[in-house]
Amino acid sequence: MSDVRPKMTFATDVQFLPGVGPERAERLHRLGLRTARDVLFHFPRGYDRPPPDRSIGSLRDGQPASIVGTITDAELASRTPGRSVFAAIVENETGAVRIVFFNQPYRAEQISFGMRVQVSGTPRLKGLRMELVHPQVKLLGEEESAGEAGIDPVYPLTEGIKQAELRRLTREVTGELAGEVTEVLPEGLRRRAAEALTAAGPGEDSGLGGAEDRAGAGEGSSGIEIPTVDRLPPIDVTLREIHFPGSESGLAAARLRLVFQELFVMQLALAIRRRRLTTELRAPPLAPTAVIHARILNRFPFELTGDQRRAIGEIGRDMSRQFPMNRLLQGDVGSGKTVVALYAMLLAVAHRHQAVLMAPTEILARQHHATLGATLAKSRVRVGLLCGSLTVTERREVVRGAEAGEIDLLVGTQSLLHGGLRLPRLGVCVIDEQHKFGVRQRVSLRGDDTDPHCLVMSATPIPRSIAMTMFGDVDLTTIRELPPGRGEVRTYLAHDGWKERWWSFVRQRLEEGRQAYVVAPRVAGGEAAEDDEENGTKGIVRGAGEPGEDVGAGVSSAEDISSVTRTFDELSRGPLRGYRVALLHGRMSAEEKREVMRGFHSGEVRVLVSTTVIEVGIDVPNATVMTIVGGNRFGLAQLHQLRGRVSRGVHTGHVCVFSDGEGSPQDHERLRVFEQTGDGFALAEADFRLRGPGELLGRRQSGMPSMRIADLVRDEPILAVARELAQEMIDDDPDLEGEGLAELRGQVMRRYEKRLELGDVA
Ligand code: ADP
Ligand code: MG
């Protein structure tokens, strides 16, 4: 009975693959395997390897080992059903071991004199000789050297599908189809990539990022070793090796190719996008002439730091061009990004264009508005504020002024984006604290017939691999140097019995005239509520000498602020009784928040008990002590942001973190890292490693391309090479029209079509 199957193709339904049928097909579907192609690209999650090969003389009782040798004796010593014994001798040049199987009489048919085998198991000393009971036995072909065989793929499984079945199926499919897959990486490119990857090798930074610093978060590099190959293997070899490795080196090369390819295709898409941004969009050129430059710098009350000057230089160069700047300015809290942003805005204004500054919260918008207003008080620059809490009339007036060109510099919250504001002469748009926004939700504001230059600021340093992916189409400026006179911050993790001591420490600081923050987590609810400008409840400021007032009254019953109100309650009745303590959270009306912030800025309010609304940008240099309660509920980046609040002045800042309850080991690890690392970059890298990319930037930011094989943490060096080569290629051949690149171009387009649209960028 001949089995006449139609020839297998990529599209063949798994149901019709040899040995599958409808029932198994169902189960395979659960693994996402519907066609032969799916099976071919269903990669192992790991490999089974035999224990290391040992010479027989070095076997140790109880230590797993694997031996290659020849069967020199084999005997079914007892056939009695239920108590049969099969024994054989495996011998090689280093000695001989006995292998024994009880109640497996069929072994006599499998294992016979003269065979070459690899046996793996745990040896036991039996008399004078080592013995392996029920070892794994693998028959070796004539020429098969054991060291290279025996790496078996381990696939992700589902119920009803066994590892062996999947291996068999994959072997079948790989045998038929691996040779049919179209090559997307031409030979020359595979050679070039191998060269670059080898150069990037295991060594130090290898000049990949140039100035773009490795933060090396303390612990040893988790990078992978890049195998040395003279070219990446072609796709057919790659697929065979990834499923059924012929050797460790073959496997490593296959993996390298797949990872490289995945990252390279992504980087090509980003390079194409970067190029389109420069060739297809128009922006007004706003060059910093010597006069303009000097005039702007004169406005600043201090000397800029070296990093600030460098940032301004880069921004000036960007803004002189006819296409939009698309730059991310990152720097630790307090590193002085605002001045840099102000430079960009004044540059636009000097050219009679308008500038917009967008802040994530109304508090921050108001603070920027006040700071800018003060700095520009004696100038002709007209500054406006647009945010959610304005009355309809106020808003209408600001919008009118801005649209008529009477306002030069408009500060606001997201509400800038609402209502189709039209700024005819918009030259630059600055977005503060980028991480609070969705990455892709940028500005929809445009000038009349141009796009504005765009500067995004972030105080959450972005790990290199994220910078190269999510922000891969953005130029990056990093400020590392803090302005002079920055206070040092000491961080403590509270231990049992610290409460008394800590609060007495806080009281001492208050007695010295300082102010304090207390931050409590929101227990439930989404982040989005934090800057909720409606939902007003009574603001609460409890003054000295008003004991016993029912502070709970008027507070929203929502659970997510219960923690902060409870903390407020306990402190103002207990350890901080007698000091003026105020409460601040996102459920309060804008008016109430403003009132509280005013009180804290002026120093009337001595202690601010708050949710993380104070996380970003609030600048009260006299506040030098911070208590974080429920610290285990915060992420590292957030903790660091919070800490930044008490490093603003000349006084040493102090942060003490209390945890709720037990806390998981991960919580402990995170807090320990926080206590010991003051550098925001190192922390961001550590956070990235501890939590992965998704959470780091907040759950709204899912703009991360999903990787099948590459791991952005582990494979960062490969990512850097892919980025460089992709840029090189697009510089040379922007539309990938070169010989042999059609397939590659196709793959880039298929995977990244959406991202290549420019509509969602400033
Ligand atoms: P961030 O990067 O957190 O936005 P800011 O721009 O708010 O930092 O700057 C923090 C503080 O440092 C501000 O009070 C600002 O006036 C001050 N500052 C900024 N640059 C300098 C400088 N070069 N010298 C002295 N003070 C500076
Ligand atoms: Mg800031």
Side-chain angles (χ1 to χ4, degrees):
M1 52 162 242
S2 74
D3 177 23
V4 196
R5 290 172 178 277
K7 187 172 160 24
M8 189 193 300
T9 68
F10 293 120
T12 302
D13 193 311
V14 286
Q15 178 180 347
F16 303 115
L17 294 175
V20 178
E23 206 172 303
R24 291 232 163 93
E26 277 291 301
R27 296 178 204 151
L28 290 170
H29 290 174
R30 272 187 259 137
L31 289 170
L33 306 179
R34 299 187 166 269
T35 63
R37 171 187 283 280
D38 296 338
V39 176
L40 187 59
F41 289 94
H42 182 62
F43 296 136
R45 63 172 165 75
Y47 298 87
D48 266 347
R49 291 176 169 81
D53 240 0
R54 303 289 288 273
S55 77
I56 291 172
S58 70
L59 294 182
R60 293 280 166 274
D61 189 277
Q63 287 181 9
S66 161
I67 297 132
V68 175
T70 306
I71 304 289
T72 55
D73 194 8
E75 188 190 9
L76 192 56
S78 154
R79 294 173 182 275
T80 320
R83 36 181 45 179
S84 79
V85 180
F86 172 76
I89 303 292
V90 180
E91 209 174 313
N92 64 22
E93 53 290 359
T94 66
V97 289
R98 200 168 109 100
I99 59 174
V100 186
F101 296 89
F102 300 102
N103 294 320
Q104 297 183 4
Y106 57 87
R107 292 286 180 178
E109 270 121 67
Q110 299 171 338
I111 299 170
S112 55
F113 181 84
M115 279 178 170
R116 266 176 62 71
V117 292
Q118 177 179 49
V119 294
S120 311
T122 306
R124 297 284 171 203
L125 191 59
K126 192 77 188 279
L128 289 177
R129 185 183 263 170
M130 284 293 179
E131 184 175 277
L132 287 115
V133 176
H134 295 184
Q136 281 194 356
V137 178
K138 184 162 185 145
L139 302 185
L140 301 178
E142 277 298 302
E143 73 293 14
E144 212 171 351
S145 83
E148 303 215 323
I151 311 173
D152 292 321
V154 177
Y155 296 99
L157 295 178
T158 185
E159 212 185 309
I161 298 281
K162 291 208 196 73
Q163 200 55 255
E165 272 177 274
L166 211 47
R167 284 178 187 165
R168 187 193 51 73
L169 187 62
T170 309
R171 195 178 278 284
E172 201 82 50
V173 172
T174 309
E176 287 286 323
L177 297 178
E180 310 280 313
V181 177
T182 331
E183 179 60 83
V184 297
L185 302 180
E187 157 104 38
L189 179 57
R190 279 185 283 118
R191 207 177 278 285
R192 172 86 186 84
E195 242 168 61
L197 286 163
T198 308
E204 275 294 281
D205 200 9
S206 64
L208 287 179
E212 238 10 281
D213 39 309
R214 286 202 68 97
E219 85 270 62
S221 155
S222 63
I224 59 155
E225 261 189 45
I226 298 178
T228 306
V229 286
D230 69 344
R231 48 164 209 168
L232 298 177
I235 189 65
D236 54 335
V237 174
T238 300
L239 289 170
R240 285 187 195 106
E241 285 288 321
I242 206 79
H243 287 297
F244 303 103
S247 63
E248 292 289 354
S249 58
L251 173 59
R255 214 196 136 263
L256 179 62
R257 174 196 157 123
L258 291 172
V259 169
F260 174 79
Q261 179 177 338
E262 185 166 43
L263 296 173
F264 184 63
V265 166
M266 169 180 66
Q267 290 301 326
L268 280 174
L270 288 167
I272 291 171
R273 192 181 153 96
R274 279 195 295 274
R275 191 177 166 87
R276 290 199 179 162
L277 288 171
T278 66
T279 55
E280 292 176 17
L281 299 181
R282 284 280 151 268
L286 308 169
T289 62
V291 175
I292 292 177
H293 180 75
R295 206 167 355 116
I296 298 177
L297 290 194
N298 267 338
R299 295 239 148 259
F300 299 155
F302 36 66
E303 286 283 304
L304 297 186
T305 64
D307 278 357
Q308 283 172 325
R309 282 199 301 273
R310 189 171 47 79
I312 281 172
E314 288 172 354
I315 287 168
R317 228 167 303 132
D318 286 356
M319 289 177 61
S320 315
R321 300 193 179 120
Q322 300 200 6
F323 53 85
M325 165 168 75
N326 195 21
R327 187 168 286 279
L328 176 69
L329 175 64
Q330 62 171 351
D332 220 337
V333 276
S335 60
K337 296 182 293 296
T338 312
V339 183
V340 174
L342 182 55
Y343 180 91
M345 295 190 283
L346 292 180
L347 191 50
V349 174
H351 284 271
R352 310 202 164 280
H353 277 77
Q354 288 171 296
V356 154
L357 171 58
M358 203 159 96
T361 67
E362 178 154 347
I363 292 184
L364 210 48
R366 285 184 181 274
Q367 187 174 288
H368 276 313
H369 181 248
T371 316
L372 297 183
T375 313
L376 301 173
K378 293 202 191 78
S379 75
R380 274 169 307 180
V381 181
R382 294 153 300 180
V383 184
L385 175 69
L386 193 60
C387 53
S389 69
L390 297 187
T391 65
V392 175
T393 333
E394 286 167 331
R395 181 180 170 93
R396 198 177 299 138
E397 181 48 26
V398 176
V399 168
R400 193 202 56 76
E403 295 194 336
E406 291 163 16
I407 289 174
D408 301 301
L409 207 166
L410 184 60
V411 183
T413 55
Q414 284 102 318
S415 65
L416 279 173
L417 298 178
H418 306 150
L421 181 67
R422 289 210 49 85
L423 300 176
R425 296 193 55 80
L426 182 59
V428 66
C429 182
V430 177
I431 305 177
D432 194 14
E433 305 298 351
Q434 154 74 25
H435 69 289
K436 288 279 156 182
F437 297 98
V439 171
R440 296 291 157 191
Q441 183 218 324
R442 302 237 181 105
V443 198
S444 52
L445 294 171
R446 297 195 69 220
D448 253 356
D449 42 23
T450 56
D451 286 285
H453 295 284
C454 182
L455 179 68
V456 173
M457 302 195 281
S458 171
T460 306
I462 296 168
R464 281 204 341 155
S465 46
I466 303 238
M468 286 188 280
T469 50
M470 253 163 78
F471 295 89
D473 50 8
V474 176
D475 297 307
L476 190 62
T477 299
T478 302
I479 299 188
R480 292 201 136 238
E481 195 181 340
L482 295 184
R486 252 322 96 91
E488 175 202 358
V489 183
R490 304 212 178 118
T491 305
Y492 321 94
L493 293 191
H495 299 289
D496 291 343
W498 263 50
K499 279 222 156 83
E500 296 258 317
R501 270 171 65 197
W502 173 251
W503 290 116
S504 106
F505 178 83
V506 173
R507 283 193 301 268
Q508 279 168 32
R509 298 286 85 73
L510 293 173
E511 288 305 320
E512 287 169 11
R514 305 283 82 76
Q515 289 165 279
Y517 294 103
V518 178
V519 185
R522 289 145 37 79
V523 171
E527 266 165 46
E530 200 46 78
D531 191 39
D532 202 340
E533 283 159 2
E534 290 89 37
N535 273 330
T537 55
K538 292 281 156 294
I540 298 159
V541 175
R542 164 171 287 184
E546 300 167 32
E549 185 191 29
D550 184 9
V551 289
V555 171
S556 157
S557 62
E559 201 197 11
D560 61 2
I561 54 167
S562 69
S563 157
V564 71
T565 50
R566 188 158 23 81
T567 305
F568 172 74
D569 239 11
E570 283 168 12
L571 292 177
S572 42
R573 288 172 206 272
L576 299 181
R577 187 179 185 134
Y579 296 97
R580 204 161 153 83
V581 182
L583 176 62
L584 182 70
H585 60 69
R587 296 283 171 130
M588 290 160 52
S589 72
E591 174 66 35
E592 289 160 341
K593 286 193 247 181
R594 200 150 62 235
E595 187 50 31
V596 169
M597 281 316 297
R598 198 200 47 71
F600 195 58
H601 268 286
S602 75
E604 266 161 64
V605 169
R606 308 300 310 287
V607 181
L608 187 63
V609 178
S610 155
T611 55
T612 53
V613 277
I614 64 148
E615 180 188 337
V616 283
I618 289 182
D619 195 1
V620 179
N622 190 47
T624 60
V625 206
M626 175 176 287
T627 312
I628 300 176
V629 301
N632 50 314
R633 293 170 188 273
F634 295 105
L636 261 181
Q638 211 172 18
L639 288 168
H640 186 62
Q641 286 276 322
L642 289 169
R643 177 162 59 190
R645 297 307 113 223
V646 293
S647 64
R648 301 247 127 189
V650 292
H651 304 283
T652 301
H654 300 273
V655 176
C656 183
V657 184
F658 289 88
S659 289
D660 309 334
E662 293 289 286
S664 69
Q666 291 92 308
D667 289 344
H668 283 291
E669 172 63 18
R670 192 168 64 244
L671 292 176
R672 178 108 0 247
V673 170
F674 175 62
E675 183 186 30
Q676 287 165 5
T677 316
D679 174 354
F681 286 83
L683 275 181
E685 294 283 346
D687 207 20
F688 187 53
R689 283 173 214 287
L690 288 171
R691 299 200 297 166
E695 291 210 34
L696 177 60
L697 291 147
R699 61 193 106 101
R700 273 190 278 168
Q701 305 213 336
S702 51
M704 210 65 186
S706 67
M707 294 289 116
R708 293 172 57 118
I709 314 158
D711 173 323
L712 293 177
V713 174
R714 185 194 54 198
D715 298 325
E716 190 190 293
I718 303 178
L719 176 62
V721 172
R723 178 178 171 82
E724 216 170 80
L725 292 188
Q727 188 62 52
E728 216 173 77
M729 190 170 230
I730 295 302
D731 284 346
D732 258 24
D733 179 5
D735 296 310
L736 295 179
E737 285 167 332
E739 206 186 319
L741 297 181
E743 287 300 328
L744 184 57
R745 186 178 60 232
Q747 188 160 109
V748 172
M749 295 303 156
R750 276 194 305 278
R751 283 216 68 183
Y752 292 101
E753 204 179 7
K754 275 261 148 38
R755 281 160 185 277
L756 288 172
E757 289 163 11
L758 299 185
D760 57 352
V761 150

